[in-house]
């Protein structure tokens, strides 16, 4: 409502501290204090900027604006020492409660080191996290899971720009992974010893207009018994600081999918890797696409997670964490319109207020299990 969040006393004091009983400190997003002056132009001097943020209740900053200009504000009497003391006490109080100043031998977290990071339990959790987040969006006539025992001497083609994705699987903020199991490796590892031929062709890049690799991908699809297309988007299209101009699946991928449909011996299986929603209406409606999986950015064991779902070693139960809108949605809503509810110029946002027809709704997801819900003495029973 016209006030930057870090300068919003009603938000931080009245709502957070008084109404929600926040018993801690408030820290800004990185660079947000400087944004009050340089981006939002809410203030005109560095001293006023420090004062308005500190008085609003922003106790700590991710950045250096306070570091460079706090003394200037104090010297110009825009703030007083008690303002600084209040934020300091809130911050130190939390550190004391967390045991920051306790003797090391009394604080178990200080005894952890790098050997406690990449453990067997952590690796197992990585795989479980990937498996639990996979969403089955389409599965015509139980096309999945594939029965690994019936695939001896069969060829499975993994085609597309995310079939061999590694770093992309980690999202935009990540540490140094001990390993990265891409889908191709996951499929090969899971089928090892079963005499199943797993082959890969990239086919195209995430987003380009170059079809030079189409021929190899199409030839592989023509000679394979089962074809998977791995597509989606990556950090070149979506990351912090970059606004997407389209929520379509990139044209190059859709073009390749349509050509693969023409030569594949059986309907395609499609796997989409993305963080935000991508219009998947063509895949949803195509009679030549048998299944559709959305896997987000599944982490270091993502490729193995997908393989366990495809071959029935894990029963998918993930649900969409986003609403997938039709591509036309970006033409209906201005990115500068922050209203959630629908209006004459806005069809509404999210599953709560969107009045249009979603491609896939928030919370949607299938399973290999068929559920039947009945009422029994006011209790829902699922079979």
């Amino acid at each position: 409502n016209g006030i930057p969040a870090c300068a919003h006393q009603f938000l931080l004091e009245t709502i957070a501290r008084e109404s929600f009983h926040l018993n801690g400190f408030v820290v800004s997003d990185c660079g947000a204090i400087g944004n009050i002056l340089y981006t939002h132009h809410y203030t005109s001097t560095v001293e006023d900027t420090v004062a308005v943020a500190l008085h609003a209740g922003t106790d700590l900053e991710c950045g250096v604006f306070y570091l460079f200009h706090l003394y200037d504000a104090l010297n110009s009497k825009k703030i007083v020492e008690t303002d600084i003391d209040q934020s300091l006490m809130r911050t130190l109080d939390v550190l004391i409660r967390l045991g920051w100043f306790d003797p090391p031998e009394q604080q178990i977290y200080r005894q952890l080191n790098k050997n406690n990071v990449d453990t067997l339990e952590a690796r197992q959790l990585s795989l479980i996290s990937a498996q639990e987040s996979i969403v089955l969006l389409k599965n015509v006539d139980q096309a999945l899971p594939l029965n690994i025992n019936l695939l001896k001497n069969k060829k499975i083609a993994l085609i597309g720009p995310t079939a061999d994705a590694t770093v992309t699987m980690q999202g935009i903020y990540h540490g140094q992974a001990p390993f990265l199991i891409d889908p191709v490796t996951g499929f090969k590892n899971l089928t090892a010893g079963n005499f199943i031929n797993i082959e890969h062709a990239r086919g195209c890049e995430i987003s380009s207009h170059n079809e030079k690799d189409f021929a190899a991908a199409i030839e592989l699809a023509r000679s394979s018994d089962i074809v998977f297309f791995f597509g989606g988007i990556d950090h070149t299209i979506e990351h912090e600081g970059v606004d997407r101009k389209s929520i379509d699946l990139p044209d190059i991928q859709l073009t390749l999918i349509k050509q693969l449909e023409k030569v594949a011996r059986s309907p395609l299986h499609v796997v989409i890797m993305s963080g935000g929603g991508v219009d998947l209406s063509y895949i949803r409606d195509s009679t030549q696409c048998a299944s559709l999986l959305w896997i987000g950015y599944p982490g270091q064991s993502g490729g193995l997670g997908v393989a366990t779902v495809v071959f029935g070693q894990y029963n998918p139960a993930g649900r969409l964490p986003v609403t997938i809108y039709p591509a036309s949605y970006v033409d209906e809503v201005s990115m500068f319109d922050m209203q959630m509810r629908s209006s004459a110029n806005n069809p509404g946002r999210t599953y709560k207020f969107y009045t249009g027809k979603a491609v896939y709704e928030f919370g949607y997801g299938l399973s290999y299990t068929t559920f039947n819900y009945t009422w029994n003495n006011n209790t829902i029973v699922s079979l």
Side-chain angles (χ1 to χ4, degrees):
N1 295 327
I3 305 175
C6 289
H8 208 307
Q9 190 169 22
F10 177 77
L11 176 67
L12 302 183
E13 294 290 345
T14 305
I15 295 180
R17 297 192 186 281
E18 296 177 17
S19 298
F20 291 171
H21 308 293
L22 171 67
N23 184 20
F25 63 87
V26 172
V27 58
S28 79
D29 193 9
C30 296
I33 304 300
N35 286 345
I36 296 173
L37 172 62
Y38 301 121
T39 304
H40 300 300
H41 306 294
Y42 184 72
T43 52
S44 55
T45 68
V46 295
E47 294 86 357
D48 286 339
T49 305
V50 169
V52 74
L54 205 60
H55 290 155
T58 304
D59 303 304
L60 191 64
E61 179 199 9
C62 173
V64 295
F65 199 92
Y66 275 175
L67 177 65
F68 290 158
H69 303 299
L70 194 66
Y71 184 77
D72 296 330
L74 181 64
N75 196 43
S76 64
K77 298 186 175 6
K78 296 290 184 177
I79 62 172
V80 294
E81 284 191 22
T82 54
D83 295 325
I84 301 174
D85 290 342
Q86 177 175 250
S87 291
L88 184 62
M89 285 189 291
R90 288 170 176 166
T91 306
L92 289 176
D93 176 69
V94 172
L95 293 177
I96 291 170
R97 282 189 275 148
L98 290 173
W100 188 266
F101 302 105
D102 293 346
E105 61 272 13
Q106 295 181 17
Q107 180 52 269
I108 60 172
Y109 298 111
R110 291 195 189 181
Q111 299 168 36
L112 299 177
N113 56 44
K114 64 181 182 181
N115 295 325
N116 300 107
V117 178
D118 181 26
T119 63
L120 177 61
E121 291 78 12
R123 293 186 178 195
Q124 291 172 336
L125 180 60
S126 175
L127 176 59
I128 291 171
S129 298
Q131 291 170 325
E132 291 186 350
S133 65
I134 292 171
V135 183
L136 179 64
L137 295 175
K138 179 179 180 179
N139 195 25
V140 178
D141 297 329
Q142 290 74 51
L144 293 180
L146 301 181
N147 188 334
I148 202 169
N149 297 316
L150 301 179
L151 296 174
K152 185 176 180 180
N153 298 322
K154 300 291 186 180
K155 182 194 287 189
I156 299 178
L158 306 185
I159 296 172
T162 62
D164 60 351
T166 52
V167 175
T168 297
M169 295 193 302
Q170 299 176 100
I172 65 171
Y173 291 113
H174 55 80
Q176 182 66 45
F179 54 79
L180 292 167
I181 304 176
D182 61 89
V184 173
T185 303
F187 272 61
K188 288 183 176 180
N189 288 350
L190 204 61
T191 59
N194 290 90
F195 302 100
I196 301 172
N197 185 15
I198 306 294
E199 294 194 21
H200 168 238
R202 193 167 180 83
C204 67
E205 298 304 315
I206 290 286
S207 181
S208 72
H209 301 288
N210 195 332
E211 299 183 4
K212 67 180 178 64
D213 295 324
F214 271 29
I218 292 169
E219 183 56 35
L220 175 59
R222 182 181 284 112
S223 65
S224 298
D225 299 286
I226 299 172
V227 179
F228 281 82
F229 177 82
F230 281 80
I233 53 181
D234 64 6
H235 321 138
T236 65
I237 294 177
E238 58 174 358
H239 68 262
E240 183 177 5
V242 171
D243 295 314
R244 283 198 286 161
K245 298 179 180 179
S246 168
I247 56 174
D248 262 319
L249 188 67
D251 289 341
I252 190 75
Q253 296 183 41
L254 200 55
T255 300
L256 180 55
I257 287 174
K258 291 177 180 179
Q259 294 197 29
L260 293 174
E261 288 178 332
K262 295 177 182 179
V263 300
R265 300 177 186 177
S266 58
L268 293 179
H269 300 278
V270 179
V271 181
I272 296 296
M273 190 179 297
S274 75
V278 179
D279 186 348
L280 302 172
S281 54
Y282 177 83
I283 300 167
R284 179 197 62 190
D285 299 336
S286 174
T287 58
Q288 295 303 308
C289 289
S291 72
L292 173 59
L293 289 167
W294 181 86
I295 63 174
Y297 294 125
Q300 69 185 34
S301 297
L304 182 58
V306 174
T308 60
V309 167
V310 166
F311 292 106
Q313 295 188 12
Y314 186 85
N315 188 358
R319 299 294 183 263
L320 274 181
V322 296
T323 297
I324 295 183
Y325 303 99
S328 59
Y329 184 75
V330 298
D331 299 319
E332 298 173 339
V333 181
S334 168
M335 65 178 292
F336 299 106
D337 184 350
M338 297 293 106
Q339 297 302 311
M340 300 295 288
R341 297 180 186 275
S342 60
S343 65
N345 301 315
N346 187 336
R349 297 175 182 271
T350 78
Y351 71 98
K352 281 190 173 184
F353 306 114
Y354 181 51
T355 55
K357 178 64 176 177
V359 177
Y360 284 109
E361 297 177 346
F362 169 88
Y364 183 85
L366 306 174
S367 170
Y368 295 153
T369 301
T370 299
F371 294 94
N372 178 35
Y373 295 94
T374 59
W375 289 97
N376 181 20
N377 296 326
N378 296 323
T379 301
I380 296 180
V381 178
S382 64
L383 302 174

